[in-house]
């Protein structure tokens, strides 16, 4: 009886493990958007280059003026409503012109806002954790990974470097 249970349990475990891995890999946070080098993704799009540039300018103005990136729940749908641009066109412009996905686009604004606060001598009382939440991140690990990817430094290293540059200069 015991010898029969082992293969059944092993099989059940393998099925569960494979299902768990499959679900994990199909989540959008784990599976990044891959660039479309041939441009086939938007082949049916009627947008011309000038329209794409205008949409990008509109997105940049909307993000900067309204500071939408500060909203931790910002989605492409929310940006679409505020900018008056379809989600498909937003996605296409960000993907094709900037070679980024939506979250990389938003996180660039968030990281730049964090850099300003980290380098400001009047904001030294703020912790890195307070700053990451203030600029729209929900996760310290995601913030740290994005920050390091974009600057080559951790937030604390960046703050130390910038504040010491101000003291020397």
């Amino acid at each position: 009886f015991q010898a029969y249970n082992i293969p059944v349990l092993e099989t059940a475990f393998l099925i569960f493990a494979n299902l768990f891995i499959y679900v994990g890999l199909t989540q959008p946070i784990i599976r990044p958007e891959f660039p479309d080098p041939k441009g086939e993704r938007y082949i049916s799009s009627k947008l011309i280059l000038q329209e794409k540039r205008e949409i990008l300018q509109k997105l940049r103005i909307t993000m900067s003026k309204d500071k939408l990136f500060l909203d931790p729940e910002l989605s492409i749908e929310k940006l679409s409503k505020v900018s008056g641009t379809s989600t498909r066109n937003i996605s296409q412009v960000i993907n094709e012109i900037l070679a980024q996905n939506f979250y990389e686009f938003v996180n660039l604004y968030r990281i730049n806002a964090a850099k300003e606060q980290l380098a400001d001598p009047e904001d030294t009382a703020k912790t890195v954790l307070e700053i990451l939440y203030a600029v729209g991140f929900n996760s310290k690990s995601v913030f740290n990974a994005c920050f390091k990817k974009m600057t080559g430094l951790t937030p604390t290293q960046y703050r130390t470097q910038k504040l010491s540059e101000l003291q020397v200069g």
Side-chain angles (χ1 to χ4, degrees), residues 17 43 51 61 80 89 133 141 160:
I43 201 152
E51 291 171 321
I61 289 169
S80 172
N89 286 351
Y133 288 127
S141 61
T160 303

Side-chain angles (χ1 to χ4, degrees), residues 23-81:
V23 169
L25 290 175
T26 58
Q27 297 304 305
I29 289 180
I30 295 172
R31 187 192 73 231
E33 288 188 32
F34 294 100
D36 182 16
K38 296 178 186 171
E40 294 173 1
R41 184 177 193 181
Y42 301 105
I43 201 152
S44 64
S45 173
K46 304 288 187 235
L47 285 179
I48 61 171
L49 183 58
Q50 182 60 33
E51 291 171 321
K52 292 176 191 176
R53 288 183 178 150
E54 289 169 5
I55 290 170
L56 181 58
Q57 185 65 19
K58 185 185 218 180
L59 293 175
R60 287 180 168 157
I61 289 169
T62 301
M63 288 292 284
S64 298
K65 186 183 80 157
D66 297 336
K67 301 210 180 292
L68 296 177
F69 59 90
L70 298 177
D71 177 2
E73 302 300 320
L74 180 62
S75 64
I76 197 166
E77 290 79 14
K78 285 183 184 179
L79 181 55
S80 172
K81 287 177 187 171

Side-chain angles (χ1 to χ4, degrees), residues 2-169:
Q2 244 181 351
Y4 177 73
N5 284 341
I6 293 173
V8 171
L9 290 175
E10 286 176 347
T11 304
F13 176 77
L14 286 174
I15 291 171
F16 174 76
N18 284 323
L19 182 62
F20 185 77
I21 290 168
Y22 172 78
V23 169
L25 290 175
T26 58
Q27 297 304 305
I29 289 180
I30 295 172
R31 187 192 73 231
E33 288 188 32
F34 294 100
D36 182 16
K38 296 178 186 171
E40 294 173 1
R41 184 177 193 181
Y42 301 105
I43 201 152
S44 64
S45 173
K46 304 288 187 235
L47 285 179
I48 61 171
L49 183 58
Q50 182 60 33
E51 291 171 321
K52 292 176 191 176
R53 288 183 178 150
E54 289 169 5
I55 290 170
L56 181 58
Q57 185 65 19
K58 185 185 218 180
L59 293 175
R60 287 180 168 157
I61 289 169
T62 301
M63 288 292 284
S64 298
K65 186 183 80 157
D66 297 336
K67 301 210 180 292
L68 296 177
F69 59 90
L70 298 177
D71 177 2
E73 302 300 320
L74 180 62
S75 64
I76 197 166
E77 290 79 14
K78 285 183 184 179
L79 181 55
S80 172
K81 287 177 187 171
V82 173
S83 68
T85 305
S86 75
T87 58
R88 179 171 171 78
N89 286 351
I90 291 172
S91 181
Q92 179 179 353
V93 166
I94 292 171
N95 289 191
E96 288 183 344
I97 305 277
L98 301 177
Q100 298 176 326
N101 65 38
F102 174 74
Y103 292 103
E104 290 169 330
F105 174 73
V106 172
N107 286 343
L108 181 62
Y109 283 91
R110 291 175 175 164
I111 295 298
N112 286 335
K115 285 168 51 179
E116 286 178 23
Q117 290 185 37
L118 289 166
D120 188 347
E122 295 179 16
D123 280 338
T124 55
K126 286 185 181 176
T127 66
V128 172
L129 196 61
E130 289 172 317
I131 291 172
L132 76 91
Y133 288 127
V135 299
F137 281 94
N138 281 326
S139 163
K140 184 177 179 181
S141 61
V142 171
F143 172 73
N144 285 334
C146 287
F147 197 95
K148 182 134 188 176
K149 181 181 176 186
M150 291 184 191
T151 67
L153 301 168
T154 67
T156 304
Q157 290 170 334
Y158 182 85
R159 174 180 258 175
T160 303
Q161 181 183 42
K162 291 299 176 183
L163 294 177
S164 68
E165 287 173 6
L166 288 174
Q167 289 175 349
V168 173

